[in-house]
Amino acid sequence: MKILILGAGKVGQKILKSMSLSDNSIVIMDRDASILSEIDESKKVKVLQNKSIDKALFNELKIQTYDYVVSVTDSDKTNILSSTLAKKMGAKFTICRINQAESMEQIQYLRDYLGIDRIVNPDFETVASIEEIIKSDISYQSDKFGKGKIEVVGHSVKLDPDFENKKIKDIGSLYTILVVGVLRGLDIIIPDGEFVLRENDYLYLMGLSKDIMSFKMKHFKIIEEKAKKKIVVVGTNEMSAQLVQSMKEEELTIVGRDNDKCNKFRKNFPDAFVLNSKLTGSEFFKFNEIDKSDVFLALTDNEELNIVLAMMAKKFNIEKVMVKILSSEYVNILDDLNLTAILNPLDIASNIIIRILNGDRGISTYMTFNGQAEVMELKLKEDSSLIDKRIKEIQMPKGILIGGIVRRDQSVVIPRGNTVFEKEDTLIIFYKKENSRELRRFIKEESEGGFLRNLIK
């Protein structure tokens, strides 16, 4: 598959990292030479610096031979023009990132009018994720794989003192679930059955969705369905406005610091209660009974403020607490806060695009793994040397673990040592970022003796 990625920022590089693990030919372009210098070229990945995107450039690239053109620069104008031009010149499928849009209707109009195959707006995709979480009846969020049949969640040993000082293999409630990682202090450890858990350990669990739910329900109660949920949204920005439009049936309170923005929200959304507040001190939660909310969303453009507000909301035992973050500076503390969801719009948008390119196979989005690990889905090639072998027969590279398998009939398996690889299996792989080079090296067709040689489709 041939892929052209326009824009080598956070979104572009995340897409590149995921898609370069499969058997794809990728060109990534950007104006900034310093950003491109961070990318390793290979037989499958070509890096190009360009000053402008025009017909001559696309003719030189033979744009009609590309299966996907993905425009994800920081400029809406550049993304729209490049996607439209690429489509007109014969690119098979175009994906366009648009940051500024007033409504989904506007995006749909642009898509249809310009002939772009898929438009991705980070804020709108995040709102869709929030809606899904709010409408669910559980108070934890997970990363889902295998079309939702396998989940990865976090769990603190403090919530279950019986786990302390026990080997993983001796804990009965973990028999049907795989502990793919343990956060101890600031380090992620990939454990085996002999690993002994300690009080402050934070576990990353992978399992069938039904098994994960059964496990988590011991610690997170099912929320009683109400005619209306009381939802508090902190932040008066475009994301908040889109959320208000889509959740009109709920009891909404919008909180903002800027009085002019609050007045604009009051005018545009008369059914919502809009509160102007300095957002300081615990008294804020007592005011207007915010502490009695069902859902608390910290969606301001200040991630430090969002994290502090989310921590306070947890202190008041609000059932669902979600926080928007914009960078990776705080990933080493976020998972252990046991929030319902950590929302990074660029990560969510990246995952949407990766799933489009990858046939609905994605990467971890909500779990930050302390900034040290990731989960992704990779499909076996038809001639993979793994087929008909047992997992225990494979020499696994350090820092890499196969946590789940989706069969061709869409059944799912949490693998053990005797699990046999089959044709068309999709593997759900947990790996430490520090071992990503080992993962890439074993995937490369020219590597010798690696368990992932000729593995990925």
Side-chain angles (χ1 to χ4, degrees), residues 373-390:
E374 286 187 340
V375 179
M376 62 172 56
E377 296 176 87
L378 298 169
K379 190 169 183 178
L380 291 182
K381 290 182 69 174
E382 292 182 2
D383 59 350
S384 170
S385 60
L386 285 183
I387 294 171
D388 295 330
K389 289 186 178 179
R390 300 179 189 275

Side-chain angles (χ1 to χ4, degrees), residues 59 95 129 137 180 239 247 273-275 302 338 354 359 404 447:
N59 275 328
I95 301 172
S129 297
D137 59 357
V180 294
M239 183 182 294
M247 302 294 291
F273 177 68
V274 182
L275 174 65
N302 183 325
N338 288 312
I354 289 168
S447 73

Side-chain angles (χ1 to χ4, degrees), residues 110-171:
L110 284 172
R111 182 196 64 197
D112 296 340
Y113 181 75
L114 298 174
I116 299 170
D117 293 292
R118 182 69 156 86
I119 292 178
V120 175
N121 177 282
D123 282 357
F124 289 1
E125 301 296 350
T126 302
V127 167
S129 297
I130 292 171
E131 285 186 73
E132 182 181 352
I133 297 167
I134 289 176
K135 291 175 181 177
S136 69
D137 59 357
I138 55 177
S139 57
Y140 68 88
Q141 177 58 13
S142 63
D143 273 317
K144 296 178 174 64
F145 300 91
K147 298 185 178 179
K149 295 179 180 179
I150 290 180
E151 296 185 30
V152 179
V153 298
H155 182 74
S156 175
V157 171
K158 288 182 179 179
L159 294 174
D160 206 326
D162 291 342
F163 286 10
E164 292 177 30
N165 302 315
K166 283 188 177 180
K167 295 179 179 180
I168 289 176
K169 70 177 185 179
D170 296 331
I171 301 174

